Amino acid sequence: MKKVIYPGSFDPITNGHLDIIKRASHIFDGVIIAVGNNTAKTTLFSVDERIALIKKCTETLPNVEIKQYSNLTVDFVKESGTNLIIRGTRDSQDYNFENRIANLNRLLDSDVETLLMLADKKYELVSSSMVKEVLSFGGDISQFVPQPVEIKLKEKFNNEKN
Ligand code: ADP
C-alpha cells in the first residue's frame, strides 16, 4: 500500500490542483490531500471552507482523502504512515521553490522523498492567487476552477463588497 501526501494551501483548490490529484491517484494506492495551516500566508478561505470545497471536488475519486495539518510537513507525512510527498511544478520558479523545500525536508528527515509532477500545459498559468485576482476584476474564472469553487468564490467576493 503506497500512499502519497499532497500538501498545500488550496486557497481555493483549482483545476490545476485537481489534475495533479487525479494523475497521482492513478499512480499510487492512495492520495492524502494535506491542507496546511501555513502561518506565513493569509488565506481567503478558512481551513474548514477549503476542506469542504476539496471534498466536493474529489468525491468521485475513491482513493483520495483529505486531512488538515499544522505541524511540520515531514512529521505529518510520517504520522500518515508513508514517506512520499508530491508537489506540482508549473515553471522554473516553481521548480526552484520546490527544490529548496524538498531539500529542506530531506535535511529534516532523510527518509522523506518529494516527487515533482509537471503541470499539464492547460493549467500552467492557473494558480489560486491568479483566480482570486481575475475574479476581483470581474473576469470569467470558469475555465480555471471547478463549479463549486466558482460559486463559493463569488459568494465570498460579494459578501466582502457588502
Ligand atoms: P503552497 O502554499 O504550499 O504552495 P498551493 O495550494 O499554492 O500551496 O500549491 C500546492 C501545490 O500545487 C504546489 O506544489 C504548487 O506548485 C502546485 N500547483 C499549484 N497550481 C498548480 C497547477 N496549476 N498545476 C500543477 N500544480 C499546481
Side-chain angles (χ1 to χ4, degrees):
M1 247 325 235
K2 212 56 183 163
K3 288 193 178 185
V4 71
I5 308 289
Y6 182 31
S9 317
F10 307 102
D11 185 45
I13 186 166
T14 67
N15 288 340
H17 293 130
L18 261 185
D19 185 56
I20 298 285
I21 294 164
K22 283 183 191 155
R23 286 159 63 200
S25 76
H26 292 141
I27 300 172
F28 299 96
D29 297 312
V31 178
I32 300 174
I33 305 169
V35 183
N37 236 341
N38 186 340
T39 43
K41 271 194 179 177
T42 330
T43 57
L44 177 67
F45 291 102
S46 70
V47 175
D48 289 344
E49 288 174 317
R50 285 181 270 152
I51 288 178
L53 280 175
I54 300 170
K55 252 193 194 122
K56 257 195 197 152
C57 302
T58 58
E59 59 195 5
T60 56
L61 304 172
N63 59 344
V64 171
E65 356 169 15
I66 307 145
K67 288 189 180 160
Q68 168 187 351
Y69 79 106
S70 46
N71 53 345
L72 267 181
T73 305
V74 288
D75 291 340
F76 177 77
V77 169
K78 284 302 191 60
E79 273 166 36
S80 306
T82 184
N83 65 336
L84 296 180
I85 297 175
I86 195 161
R87 295 275 290 177
T89 50
R90 287 157 291 189
D91 53 20
S92 55
Q93 208 179 324
D94 269 359
Y95 171 78
N96 289 335
F97 177 75
E98 297 297 345
N99 192 19
R100 272 189 286 128
I101 305 277
N103 280 324
L104 171 66
N105 284 335
R106 266 165 74 83
L107 286 178
L108 294 171
D109 189 328
S110 58
D111 191 37
V112 170
E113 291 289 352
T114 301
L115 310 169
L116 299 182
M117 188 176 258
L118 298 182
D120 188 284
K121 275 259 168 277
K122 288 197 285 290
Y123 306 118
E124 248 174 12
L125 299 175
V126 179
S127 69
S128 303
S129 46
M130 172 276 257
V131 166
K132 288 180 276 192
E133 194 170 345
V134 169
L135 185 63
S136 74
F137 290 107
D140 179 9
I141 55 163
S142 58
Q143 58 180 315
F144 307 131
V145 291
Q147 207 184 20
V149 175
E150 185 183 356
I151 293 169
K152 260 273 169 293
L153 264 173
K154 284 183 173 166
E155 264 175 41
K156 246 308 168 219
F157 275 72
N158 285 335
N159 285 344
E160 284 193 353
K161 265 192 233 153
N162 297 328

